Amino acid sequence: MVNRSDMVDPPYQDYVSGGFAYSFCQAYNAKSLNGRKPETWADFWDVSKFPGKRAWPKFYLGTAEPPLMADRVAKDKMYPLDLDRAFAKMSELRRNMLFYESYAQAEQMLESGAVELALIPNGRVYDLQQRGAPIEMIWNDAVLLPWEGPVVPKGAPHADAMFALMSVMADPRNQAKMAKATGYAPTVSKAYDFIDDATAENLANSPEHKRNALTVDAAALARQNAAYSAGYTKWLGKA
Amino acid sequence: MSDLAVPSPTRTRRLTAALTGGTGATWLLVLPAALLQLCVVVPLVAIATTALSEGTGKATHTVADSLFLDAARRTVVLAAMVTANCWVVGSLYSLSLLLTRGWVRLFLLASLFITFWISLLVRTYGWIVLFQPNGLLQHALHTFGLHSGDQLNLLQTTPAMYPGMVHIMLPYMILPIFGSLATLEPAQLRAAQSLGARPLTILRRVILPQMRAGSLAGVILVFILSLGFFVTPRFLGGPDDLTVATIIDREFEQVFDFIAASAMGLTLLIAVLALYVIADRALGVSRQWEHV
């Protein structure tokens, strides 16, 4: 029996354990912005207030919510996503976007000063900060992916071994160690007993960050997944 | 023209002798043939079967899609432009190699081979560092007062793809052209000069004819390689600068439509083969290889 991850949405708890939680947030290069600080997604879209490029992913996950928030869609009215509206808002910023293939490339763009702002998972900013780069993160209106986990394919020959590993990964102490090392948040609430305050500052589902974030509705997103993915790919391919 | 496609009699005889003669040389072919079978023929059959697994309807629909047609048109234009640029620069480079001596020539040769040996990814990344906003090129332009104010908006645009692609394809153009020029005797140039030919005449009547075989080989090679270009357009061009190769990758990696990707791959292969056959018939390319 695999240890449970109690922070996973209840209907999925039988199937998901041992993963982590994170947020897509905006990050900026404090050196090139010279003390000015973006606060909302509307700021991210405001190229006259914050000139310069924005690093943006070539893959769809986490790309629709920020433009909708910038377009003043309320967080509790976010799902189902108004995809056409999201793509239209993204097109406004397209000339100022520099697209990345991987999160490592997004880090590199931020650090080298090629972009001033970025849409990026919080653990990547944590990594940059650990290395002393002048990169800051905005927790306000972050897009929180509340849980995720390893996938075991049906009929996998060593499923037992994988389940055993997932149990180890879901252990609260191990979840706490993972959080300290990567800045990615636990999916087991008891892990917070072992997490110090400084580490909690960097975690997407700490009570304070969770309150200011938009929590992704996994079930609603799953229903739109095909249209979302295909629509984003199409948007990306056409200028 | 048909005689061009027929291999020369001596070559045929030598090949036949090697295959049937008592030297046992035939056995040497077993390993390469098996490897070719395994690494080229088997995957190609797999791609063809996948492409046609839902009938020809789905495959033709994929290839007739406007996104693919746009990418195909863009790829052909890109390949033609890269080839033309490579030919001009490659010819000048080869001529410099022919006409210089000593350390200049050594420097030119070294630059050529070092370019050839450095990984394609590293070279492409070098262009990114150069072109990116707040990158080296922007700083250089600022320093010389050639660019002011806004950031340099070059990376991930169509023009950004050309220098990188020409850079990467250049050795494939220079080597065959230089190969055919190397057989030019300096005495020929002196003879032309002493017979009163002006530099332009020498270029037109002596040097260009000598370059013909190598140019042809280089042009075909660069054009065909450019049709399948992937890494450089992917990293230097924008996400809307889809080429045939990047669109195939997209079908595999993001859309997970293996049938469409296979149909596109098959189309590219057929186009390249057809192109080669036409070039061979019209220009006798395969015969030119012998001179390279």
Side-chain angles (χ1 to χ4, degrees):
Chain A
M1 190 64 206
V2 177
N3 285 336
R4 277 185 179 268
S5 288
D6 63 327
M7 291 167 91
V8 171
D9 291 344
Y12 298 96
Q13 276 186 22
D14 284 351
Y15 310 100
V16 179
S17 188
F20 56 86
Y22 63 103
S23 276
F24 285 108
C25 56
Q26 56 173 318
Y28 63 97
N29 188 319
K31 213 170 80 189
S32 49
L33 283 192
N34 255 332
R36 286 165 309 133
K37 182 178 183 254
E39 270 157 19
T40 61
W41 288 108
D43 285 342
F44 192 87
W45 252 256
D46 191 339
V47 292
S48 53
K49 210 158 128 195
F50 299 99
K53 295 275 184 183
R54 281 89 167 123
W56 195 264
K58 273 193 180 177
F59 25 85
Y60 71 99
L61 191 68
T63 57
E65 292 88 349
L68 290 172
M69 282 190 272
D71 217 13
R72 296 176 203 294
V73 174
K75 283 182 200 164
D76 55 345
K77 300 264 178 354
M78 187 56 71
Y79 298 98
L81 295 166
D82 185 344
L83 292 171
D84 289 338
R85 187 170 170 184
F87 294 140
K89 188 74 182 170
M90 274 188 250
S91 294
E92 281 178 23
L93 198 63
R94 183 162 181 139
R95 272 182 51 81
N96 287 75
M97 287 175 176
L98 214 51
F99 294 93
Y100 58 80
E101 307 265 344
S102 66
Y103 295 130
Q105 196 185 3
E107 281 190 49
Q108 190 271 332
M109 284 175 169
L110 264 176
E111 199 177 7
S112 68
V115 299
E116 270 69 31
L117 300 121
L119 170 67
I120 190 170
N122 72 283
R124 293 295 176 160
V125 184
Y126 184 73
D127 178 48
L128 284 164
Q129 289 170 342
Q130 298 292 97
R131 289 191 279 122
I135 309 299
E136 298 294 333
M137 184 160 66
I138 310 295
W139 282 106
N140 185 35
D141 293 346
V143 181
L144 168 63
L145 283 100
W147 49 268
E148 52 114 84
V151 174
V152 182
K154 202 171 170 178
H158 303 295
D160 287 348
M162 191 58 217
F163 290 138
L165 175 65
M166 282 159 68
S167 259
V168 174
M169 289 162 70
D171 177 80
R173 284 172 202 274
N174 289 336
Q175 289 260 314
K177 277 185 212 159
M178 160 89 180
K180 195 171 170 66
T182 63
Y184 286 124
T187 50
V188 178
S189 53
K190 244 179 100 64
Y192 270 100
D193 295 347
F194 308 101
I195 290 172
D196 56 82
D197 288 350
T199 303
E201 288 278 296
N202 297 303
L203 299 181
N205 61 12
S206 74
E208 190 201 337
H209 292 327
K210 194 174 160 62
R211 197 166 43 246
N212 294 323
L214 163 77
T215 302
V216 168
D217 181 344
L221 204 60
R223 282 192 289 275
Q224 281 184 290
N225 192 49
Y228 186 6
S229 153
Y232 189 70
T233 309
K234 198 170 156 211
W235 175 82
L236 200 59
K238 288 198 170 159
Chain B
M1 288 307 255
S2 64
D3 61 331
L4 288 180
V6 179
S8 60
T10 48
R11 189 162 155 248
T12 317
R13 208 175 303 134
R14 248 185 287 131
L15 193 67
T16 328
L19 285 174
T20 56
T23 57
T26 320
W27 294 105
L28 288 176
L29 286 175
V30 170
L31 194 64
L35 209 63
L36 198 71
Q37 196 79 13
L38 197 72
C39 301
V40 179
V41 179
V42 172
L44 274 182
V45 170
I47 286 179
T49 349
T50 313
L52 302 173
S53 58
E54 280 182 19
T56 47
K58 158 96 181 165
T60 22
H61 180 76
T62 304
V63 174
D65 184 61
S66 71
L67 204 62
F68 181 76
L69 289 178
D70 282 347
R73 202 174 305 124
R74 193 176 296 117
T75 309
V76 171
V77 171
L78 205 68
M81 296 268 285
V82 167
T83 309
N85 279 299
C86 274
W87 184 77
V88 172
V89 180
S91 302
L92 291 173
Y93 204 101
S94 306
L95 279 174
S96 318
L97 277 173
L98 183 74
L99 299 174
T100 50
R101 288 283 170 270
W103 65 268
V104 181
R105 186 166 198 246
L106 201 67
F107 174 77
L108 288 175
L109 275 175
S111 321
L112 177 66
F113 282 102
I114 289 171
T115 306
F116 212 28
W117 291 330
I118 295 173
S119 151
L120 176 132
L121 266 174
V122 173
R123 281 182 284 159
T124 302
Y125 205 81
W127 287 101
I128 295 181
V129 173
L130 208 58
F131 283 163
Q132 72 184 6
N134 295 314
L136 282 174
L137 185 62
Q138 188 184 323
H139 283 297
L141 291 176
H142 258 292
T143 311
F144 295 111
L146 294 169
H147 178 85
S148 60
D150 263 5
Q151 281 179 336
L152 192 65
N153 198 3
L154 192 57
L155 189 62
Q156 296 188 1
T157 64
T158 314
M161 296 194 284
Y162 284 101
M165 290 183 42
V166 170
H167 172 208
I168 279 155
M169 284 298 158
L170 207 49
Y172 298 104
M173 185 67 87
I174 294 175
L175 290 176
I177 294 183
F178 180 61
S180 56
L181 271 182
T183 54
L184 184 73
E185 283 289 329
Q188 274 177 277
L189 296 178
R190 284 199 297 276
Q193 234 169 355
S194 70
L195 292 170
R198 292 175 181 284
L200 266 181
T201 316
I202 297 180
L203 183 70
R204 200 164 52 83
R205 302 283 299 272
V206 183
I207 295 173
L208 284 180
Q210 186 73 30
M211 271 173 46
R212 188 175 176 273
S215 294
L216 213 56
V219 163
I220 299 289
L221 195 61
V222 168
F223 188 76
I224 287 178
L225 285 175
S226 300
L227 286 179
F229 229 131
F230 175 66
V231 171
T232 312
R234 169 94 178 245
F235 282 91
L236 295 174
D240 50 317
D241 286 316
L242 287 172
T243 63
V244 171
T246 47
I247 208 170
I248 291 174
D249 168 70
R250 204 187 72 149
E251 294 297 320
F252 265 117
E253 288 262 308
Q254 289 171 32
V255 189
F256 303 117
D257 190 343
F258 293 172
I259 297 171
S262 303
M264 291 171 178
L266 204 62
T267 310
L268 178 62
L269 180 73
I270 291 169
V272 167
L273 284 179
L275 209 71
Y276 187 79
V277 170
I278 292 169
D280 193 29
R281 281 288 148 83
L283 307 164
V285 176
S286 61
R287 220 172 57 134
Q288 305 287 3
W289 290 115
E290 292 169 29
H291 301 295
V292 174

